Amino acid sequence: QVTLWLKKIYGNEPIPEYEVNARTVDILYDLVECNEARDRDVSLLIEDMKQKATEYEAESEFEAPLLKSLDLSPSILSSEGTSYLNVLVNSAVILETKDTSLASFFCTINDMTLELYATESKNREIELELSNIRKKITAALLLEKWLEEDLKKTEELLEVEKAKADSRSQNLKFLKDKSKDLKIMIKAVE
């Protein structure tokens, strides 16, 4: 399959030499599949364009008698009329309507309006969710700040209490030593 594709691509020119191994064949096979998929997509697009061209021709054939019955012909329209007709046709092409009838325009505009409302609704939901997330982040940051302040105060209080405990410990040792000295003095006096 890869060889046939290479022959098709290069036509009458010789196929460049390449190392034939499992990896290169796999890569070339992937290229074949991508190329064939692209060719299918392009052919579908061409068919769609042909169908639209046929539909527009049928529409113009349908509208030609109508224009003639109104004594109008695209060639005798004023520049403003031709401009409006071109705008109508371009709008139909851009909106991808089935034809240039008012019903087709209304259906397409209605579909686009519904799509717009759905998108706006989704945007509002996302904005609301984003707002809620912002509020939660703000609350978390405030809580973190409070916790940091509490931790700092606790550490300062712990230092003060540690200093008090050290002071009390020294006083207790001093009092024990003094008590021993006094006991020794009492015994000596006795």
Side-chain angles (χ1 to χ4, degrees), residues 70-85:
L70 296 172
D71 285 337
L72 293 174
S73 149
S75 60
I76 64 167
L77 286 176
S78 67
S79 62
E80 189 177 1
T82 304
S83 173
Y84 288 148
L85 188 59

Side-chain angles (χ1 to χ4, degrees), residues 21 28 31 51 106 109 125 127 129 156 189:
N21 60 34
L28 287 173
L31 283 173
Q51 182 181 353
F106 281 145
I109 290 171
E125 289 175 10
E127 286 175 8
E129 186 177 334
E156 290 172 357
V189 170

Side-chain angles (χ1 to χ4, degrees), residues 15-179:
I15 298 173
E17 291 186 24
Y18 62 93
E19 183 180 336
V20 178
N21 60 34
R23 185 171 183 270
T24 57
V25 170
D26 286 344
I27 291 170
L28 287 173
Y29 183 75
D30 289 343
L31 283 173
V32 169
E33 287 182 337
C34 289
N35 188 273
E36 288 175 352
R38 188 194 67 204
D39 288 347
R40 283 191 301 273
D41 291 345
V42 167
S43 65
L44 287 173
L45 186 61
I46 290 170
E47 288 300 318
D48 185 52
M49 294 292 202
K50 284 180 182 176
Q51 182 181 353
K52 283 187 179 182
T54 305
E55 289 174 0
Y56 287 134
E57 285 175 16
E59 182 78 20
S60 69
E61 288 174 8
F62 172 76
E63 290 178 1
L66 182 62
L67 288 173
K68 283 183 182 178
S69 70
L70 296 172
D71 285 337
L72 293 174
S73 149
S75 60
I76 64 167
L77 286 176
S78 67
S79 62
E80 189 177 1
T82 304
S83 173
Y84 288 148
L85 188 59
N86 286 335
V87 167
L88 181 64
V89 169
N90 288 336
S91 298
V93 170
I94 289 171
L95 294 174
E96 298 177 357
T97 60
K98 184 177 79 173
D99 53 35
T100 58
S101 69
L102 197 54
S104 291
F105 278 108
F106 281 145
C107 288
T108 303
I109 290 171
N110 189 34
D111 291 344
M112 292 177 117
T113 303
L114 289 174
E115 189 177 322
L116 175 67
Y117 287 146
T119 304
E120 287 176 346
S121 174
K122 185 153 183 90
N123 284 346
R124 281 192 295 275
E125 289 175 10
I126 290 172
E127 286 175 8
L128 182 62
E129 186 177 334
L130 186 60
S131 175
N132 289 338
I133 290 172
R134 281 188 189 130
K135 287 177 184 175
K136 288 179 182 177
I137 288 174
T138 303
L141 289 173
L142 284 173
L143 181 61
E144 181 184 17
K145 184 179 177 184
W146 290 339
L147 289 173
E148 285 175 355
E149 289 175 2
D150 286 348
L151 180 63
K152 186 178 176 184
K153 287 177 185 176
T154 304
E155 286 173 350
E156 290 172 357
L157 185 62
L158 186 62
E159 288 293 322
V160 169
E161 290 299 321
K162 185 178 177 186
K164 284 182 183 178
D166 287 344
S167 174
R168 286 181 186 149
S169 174
Q170 288 175 355
N171 284 340
L172 183 62
K173 185 178 179 209
F174 173 75
L175 289 174
K176 281 183 181 178
D177 290 343
K178 194 68 168 171
S179 173

